[in-house]
Amino acid sequence: MLIFADTAEIDALREIASLGVLDGVTTNPTLIARSGRNFVEVVAEICALCPGPISAEVVALDSDTMITEGRKLAKIADNVVVKVPLTGEGLKATKVLSGDGIATNVTLCFSVNQAMLAAKAGATYVSPFIGRLDDYGADGVDLIARIRAVYDLYDFDTQILAASIRNPAHVEQALLAGADCGTMPPSVIKALYEHPLTAKGLNDFMNDWKKTGQSIL
Ligand code: G3P
């Protein structure tokens, strides 16, 4: 599964990128607003920092303007993926942008039927939101598994980008459900490798090694 960071914070991205496990970045209007940065400038900086797919979302609600915005965003860098909401207008824009050869990420997906339409429109990625479905009292991970089953049954090429991931359990469940990618806050990426038993075991090793009085170098 490809690991994407869901943020527009450059310093946090630098730290995660240094781990060597970052495959891409997703942003959305809320994350851009939270960064306090100019949208085009921060997307360009992220694209330079991370060579993988970088999702930048249109903000128009009509397909014609989404297409115009998407074509402008695609010019920022070769690794820009144009993010489009899963609405009727968004599907129209996805069809045109994918016809232009522009990579698209259809976002705010909450059902199998929506994901099916995103694939038919030629979406490169579809973003089902696990956490927000859980908040709604539904089963977000189960949606990933059902989309996986349908995409495999009908041989759709669209990649499932599990989004709205809130914790390591969501990551493990998305892995088992067959998501192609997962996007999550940098804090969740860090939590993937942090474990109290690892810390305790390493501490015990170090204490026992010190007793030998030896050094490797
Ligand atoms: O950026 C898309 C998605 O990951 C947003 O997640 O936590 O705002 O539901 P969240």
Side-chain angles (χ1 to χ4, degrees), residues 132-147:
R132 295 195 194 186
L133 274 169
D134 289 357
D135 296 344
Y136 185 69
D139 184 338
V141 171
D142 181 57
L143 174 61
I144 304 292
R146 286 184 285 120
I147 294 171

PDB file of all heavy atoms in Angstrom, residues 132-147:
ATOM      1  N   ARG A 132     -14.686   9.678   8.618  1.00  0.00           N
ATOM      2  CA  ARG A 132     -15.947  10.430   8.645  1.00  0.00           C
ATOM      3  C   ARG A 132     -17.165   9.493   8.582  1.00  0.00           C
ATOM      4  O   ARG A 132     -18.206   9.782   9.156  1.00  0.00           O
ATOM      5  CB  ARG A 132     -15.991  11.437   7.488  1.00  0.00           C
ATOM      6  CG  ARG A 132     -14.923  12.526   7.635  1.00  0.00           C
ATOM      7  CD  ARG A 132     -15.168  13.709   6.739  1.00  0.00           C
ATOM      8  NE  ARG A 132     -13.968  14.551   6.669  1.00  0.00           N
ATOM      9  CZ  ARG A 132     -13.933  15.724   6.037  1.00  0.00           C
ATOM     10  NH1 ARG A 132     -15.019  16.205   5.448  1.00  0.00           N
ATOM     11  NH2 ARG A 132     -12.809  16.426   5.995  1.00  0.00           N
ATOM     12  N   LEU A 133     -16.982   8.326   7.906  1.00  0.00           N
ATOM     13  CA  LEU A 133     -18.062   7.339   7.928  1.00  0.00           C
ATOM     14  C   LEU A 133     -18.229   6.761   9.333  1.00  0.00           C
ATOM     15  O   LEU A 133     -19.338   6.617   9.831  1.00  0.00           O
ATOM     16  CB  LEU A 133     -17.779   6.220   6.929  1.00  0.00           C
ATOM     17  CG  LEU A 133     -18.235   6.491   5.490  1.00  0.00           C
ATOM     18  CD1 LEU A 133     -17.667   5.446   4.545  1.00  0.00           C
ATOM     19  CD2 LEU A 133     -19.759   6.523   5.397  1.00  0.00           C
ATOM     20  N   ASP A 134     -17.095   6.463   9.989  1.00  0.00           N
ATOM     21  CA  ASP A 134     -17.158   5.969  11.382  1.00  0.00           C
ATOM     22  C   ASP A 134     -17.855   6.998  12.278  1.00  0.00           C
ATOM     23  O   ASP A 134     -18.732   6.669  13.077  1.00  0.00           O
ATOM     24  CB  ASP A 134     -15.747   5.700  11.919  1.00  0.00           C
ATOM     25  CG  ASP A 134     -15.088   4.479  11.271  1.00  0.00           C
ATOM     26  OD1 ASP A 134     -15.755   3.817  10.452  1.00  0.00           O
ATOM     27  OD2 ASP A 134     -13.917   4.205  11.583  1.00  0.00           O
ATOM     28  N   ASP A 135     -17.493   8.285  12.094  1.00  0.00           N
ATOM     29  CA  ASP A 135     -18.123   9.358  12.887  1.00  0.00           C
ATOM     30  C   ASP A 135     -19.640   9.369  12.652  1.00  0.00           C
ATOM     31  O   ASP A 135     -20.425   9.718  13.522  1.00  0.00           O
ATOM     32  CB  ASP A 135     -17.559  10.741  12.482  1.00  0.00           C
ATOM     33  CG  ASP A 135     -16.076  10.884  12.776  1.00  0.00           C
ATOM     34  OD1 ASP A 135     -15.528  10.071  13.545  1.00  0.00           O
ATOM     35  OD2 ASP A 135     -15.453  11.816  12.196  1.00  0.00           O
ATOM     36  N   TYR A 136     -20.036   8.961  11.440  1.00  0.00           N
ATOM     37  CA  TYR A 136     -21.445   9.005  11.026  1.00  0.00           C
ATOM     38  C   TYR A 136     -22.205   7.773  11.535  1.00  0.00           C
ATOM     39  O   TYR A 136     -23.407   7.653  11.362  1.00  0.00           O
ATOM     40  CB  TYR A 136     -21.471   9.064   9.495  1.00  0.00           C
ATOM     41  CG  TYR A 136     -22.815   9.237   8.831  1.00  0.00           C
ATOM     42  CD1 TYR A 136     -23.523  10.432   8.934  1.00  0.00           C
ATOM     43  CD2 TYR A 136     -23.358   8.200   8.069  1.00  0.00           C
ATOM     44  CE1 TYR A 136     -24.751  10.585   8.294  1.00  0.00           C
ATOM     45  CE2 TYR A 136     -24.570   8.358   7.422  1.00  0.00           C
ATOM     46  CZ  TYR A 136     -25.263   9.551   7.540  1.00  0.00           C
ATOM     47  OH  TYR A 136     -26.480   9.707   6.899  1.00  0.00           O
ATOM     48  N   GLY A 137     -21.412   6.804  12.123  1.00  0.00           N
ATOM     49  CA  GLY A 137     -22.036   5.583  12.630  1.00  0.00           C
ATOM     50  C   GLY A 137     -22.061   4.458  11.615  1.00  0.00           C
ATOM     51  O   GLY A 137     -22.697   3.421  11.831  1.00  0.00           O
ATOM     52  N   ALA A 138     -21.355   4.663  10.497  1.00  0.00           N
ATOM     53  CA  ALA A 138     -21.251   3.611   9.472  1.00  0.00           C
ATOM     54  C   ALA A 138     -19.901   2.916   9.632  1.00  0.00           C
ATOM     55  O   ALA A 138     -19.137   3.205  10.558  1.00  0.00           O
ATOM     56  CB  ALA A 138     -21.389   4.229   8.077  1.00  0.00           C
ATOM     57  N   ASP A 139     -19.600   1.959   8.736  1.00  0.00           N
ATOM     58  CA  ASP A 139     -18.341   1.201   8.831  1.00  0.00           C
ATOM     59  C   ASP A 139     -17.435   1.598   7.670  1.00  0.00           C
ATOM     60  O   ASP A 139     -17.592   1.095   6.545  1.00  0.00           O
ATOM     61  CB  ASP A 139     -18.647  -0.304   8.797  1.00  0.00           C
ATOM     62  CG  ASP A 139     -17.387  -1.159   9.001  1.00  0.00           C
ATOM     63  OD1 ASP A 139     -16.274  -0.639   8.743  1.00  0.00           O
ATOM     64  OD2 ASP A 139     -17.516  -2.320   9.398  1.00  0.00           O
ATOM     65  N   GLY A 140     -16.501   2.527   7.945  1.00  0.00           N
ATOM     66  CA  GLY A 140     -15.646   3.067   6.884  1.00  0.00           C
ATOM     67  C   GLY A 140     -14.761   2.028   6.236  1.00  0.00           C
ATOM     68  O   GLY A 140     -14.609   1.998   5.004  1.00  0.00           O
ATOM     69  N   VAL A 141     -14.183   1.120   7.039  1.00  0.00           N
ATOM     70  CA  VAL A 141     -13.272   0.114   6.474  1.00  0.00           C
ATOM     71  C   VAL A 141     -14.041  -0.880   5.609  1.00  0.00           C
ATOM     72  O   VAL A 141     -13.565  -1.317   4.561  1.00  0.00           O
ATOM     73  CB  VAL A 141     -12.510  -0.615   7.598  1.00  0.00           C
ATOM     74  CG1 VAL A 141     -11.726  -1.804   7.041  1.00  0.00           C
ATOM     75  CG2 VAL A 141     -11.589   0.357   8.306  1.00  0.00           C
ATOM     76  N   ASP A 142     -15.268  -1.189   6.020  1.00  0.00           N
ATOM     77  CA  ASP A 142     -16.092  -2.109   5.224  1.00  0.00           C
ATOM     78  C   ASP A 142     -16.341  -1.538   3.829  1.00  0.00           C
ATOM     79  O   ASP A 142     -16.380  -2.274   2.841  1.00  0.00           O
ATOM     80  CB  ASP A 142     -17.433  -2.372   5.919  1.00  0.00           C
ATOM     81  CG  ASP A 142     -18.298  -3.351   5.139  1.00  0.00           C
ATOM     82  OD1 ASP A 142     -17.839  -4.480   4.876  1.00  0.00           O
ATOM     83  OD2 ASP A 142     -19.410  -2.958   4.722  1.00  0.00           O
ATOM     84  N   LEU A 143     -16.454  -0.201   3.746  1.00  0.00           N
ATOM     85  CA  LEU A 143     -16.637   0.413   2.423  1.00  0.00           C
ATOM     86  C   LEU A 143     -15.416   0.160   1.548  1.00  0.00           C
ATOM     87  O   LEU A 143     -15.550  -0.159   0.352  1.00  0.00           O
ATOM     88  CB  LEU A 143     -16.883   1.925   2.554  1.00  0.00           C
ATOM     89  CG  LEU A 143     -16.945   2.684   1.220  1.00  0.00           C
ATOM     90  CD1 LEU A 143     -18.093   2.188   0.338  1.00  0.00           C
ATOM     91  CD2 LEU A 143     -17.052   4.188   1.455  1.00  0.00           C
ATOM     92  N   ILE A 144     -14.229   0.262   2.135  1.00  0.00           N
ATOM     93  CA  ILE A 144     -13.004  -0.025   1.363  1.00  0.00           C
ATOM     94  C   ILE A 144     -13.053  -1.432   0.777  1.00  0.00           C
ATOM     95  O   ILE A 144     -12.793  -1.650  -0.416  1.00  0.00           O
ATOM     96  CB  ILE A 144     -11.745   0.122   2.241  1.00  0.00           C
ATOM     97  CG1 ILE A 144     -11.643   1.509   2.886  1.00  0.00           C
ATOM     98  CG2 ILE A 144     -10.481  -0.190   1.421  1.00  0.00           C
ATOM     99  CD1 ILE A 144     -11.391   2.648   1.962  1.00  0.00           C
ATOM    100  N   ALA A 145     -13.441  -2.395   1.633  1.00  0.00           N
ATOM    101  CA  ALA A 145     -13.484  -3.804   1.195  1.00  0.00           C
ATOM    102  C   ALA A 145     -14.507  -4.002   0.084  1.00  0.00           C
ATOM    103  O   ALA A 145     -14.262  -4.726  -0.893  1.00  0.00           O
ATOM    104  CB  ALA A 145     -13.814  -4.697   2.384  1.00  0.00           C
ATOM    105  N   ARG A 146     -15.658  -3.329   0.182  1.00  0.00           N
ATOM    106  CA  ARG A 146     -16.703  -3.488  -0.842  1.00  0.00           C
ATOM    107  C   ARG A 146     -16.308  -2.825  -2.148  1.00  0.00           C
ATOM    108  O   ARG A 146     -16.552  -3.372  -3.236  1.00  0.00           O
ATOM    109  CB  ARG A 146     -18.044  -2.952  -0.313  1.00  0.00           C
ATOM    110  CG  ARG A 146     -18.685  -3.885   0.738  1.00  0.00           C
ATOM    111  CD  ARG A 146     -20.064  -3.427   1.208  1.00  0.00           C
ATOM    112  NE  ARG A 146     -19.964  -2.298   2.124  1.00  0.00           N
ATOM    113  CZ  ARG A 146     -20.518  -1.103   1.897  1.00  0.00           C
ATOM    114  NH1 ARG A 146     -21.180  -0.876   0.779  1.00  0.00           N
ATOM    115  NH2 ARG A 146     -20.401  -0.123   2.785  1.00  0.00           N
ATOM    116  N   ILE A 147     -15.643  -1.672  -2.063  1.00  0.00           N
ATOM    117  CA  ILE A 147     -15.159  -1.038  -3.297  1.00  0.00           C
ATOM    118  C   ILE A 147     -14.102  -1.933  -3.950  1.00  0.00           C
ATOM    119  O   ILE A 147     -14.116  -2.143  -5.170  1.00  0.00           O
ATOM    120  CB  ILE A 147     -14.591   0.368  -3.011  1.00  0.00           C
ATOM    121  CG1 ILE A 147     -15.693   1.324  -2.552  1.00  0.00           C
ATOM    122  CG2 ILE A 147     -13.898   0.929  -4.261  1.00  0.00           C
ATOM    123  CD1 ILE A 147     -15.177   2.659  -2.040  1.00  0.00           C
TER     124      ILE A 147
END
